[in-house]
Amino acid sequence: MSKVKIGIIGLGQIAQNHLKRWTEIDEAQIIAACDIDEKTLSESCNTFGIEHSYTDFRKLLERDDLDAVDVCLHNNFHAPVTIEALRSGKHVYCEKPIAGSYADGKAMLQAAQETQKM
């Protein structure tokens, strides 16, 4: 069985917890990470053996080898990143609260339905 290839966007406190948990799942592999803070990006990639790093999440989304992305940003940034990820053909894992507003959450769900992605 092939592994689910995951990209992670945002490498703050929540992401560090997610990264630890992803490493415990044999069927999952983090292959790309993104953060605007280059020091945090470098440290996280070194700690977790992540080969590909980006400071622009759109560049990460251009990868055609990712099955899903884990969005670990402030909830006010969940909607735009999640919607772009879904439209790029990726499934998205996004913790609650889903978004900063009802309208953003609804737009995220609509994008998932339109793209037939989870």
Side-chain angles (χ1 to χ4, degrees):
M1 184 166 113
S2 64
K3 293 186 179 217
V4 175
K5 293 180 174 65
I6 301 165
I8 190 164
I9 300 173
L11 294 169
Q13 182 179 1
I14 295 299
Q16 298 305 308
N17 189 358
H18 285 209
L19 286 165
K20 289 174 190 167
R21 300 301 166 245
W22 285 122
T23 63
E24 296 171 357
I25 301 171
D26 291 335
E27 298 83 5
Q29 179 182 10
I30 300 288
I31 62 169
C34 177
D35 199 282
I36 59 172
D37 182 326
E38 292 183 20
K39 182 179 181 218
T40 299
L41 178 62
S42 177
E43 289 172 354
S44 294
C45 287
N46 288 336
T47 299
F48 293 98
I50 303 168
E51 188 173 344
H52 305 282
S53 62
Y54 302 88
T55 55
D56 181 344
F57 78 93
R58 290 172 187 89
K59 294 293 184 189
L60 179 143
L61 294 178
E62 289 176 2
R63 297 184 66 91
D64 60 4
D65 58 347
L66 292 176
D67 300 305
V69 294
D70 184 359
V71 177
C72 295
L73 302 170
H74 186 279
N75 58 309
N76 287 331
F77 298 115
H78 285 178
V81 174
T82 294
I83 291 168
E84 279 200 51
L86 291 165
R87 290 186 177 151
S88 75
K90 311 314 187 259
H91 296 287
V92 177
Y93 178 74
C94 184
E95 271 194 0
K96 65 180 183 177
I98 189 172
S101 71
Y102 173 80
D104 282 350
K106 189 173 179 180
M108 292 165 68
L109 293 174
Q110 183 175 350
Q113 292 168 346
E114 290 171 359
T115 59
Q116 298 182 345
K117 296 294 176 184
M118 295 186 286

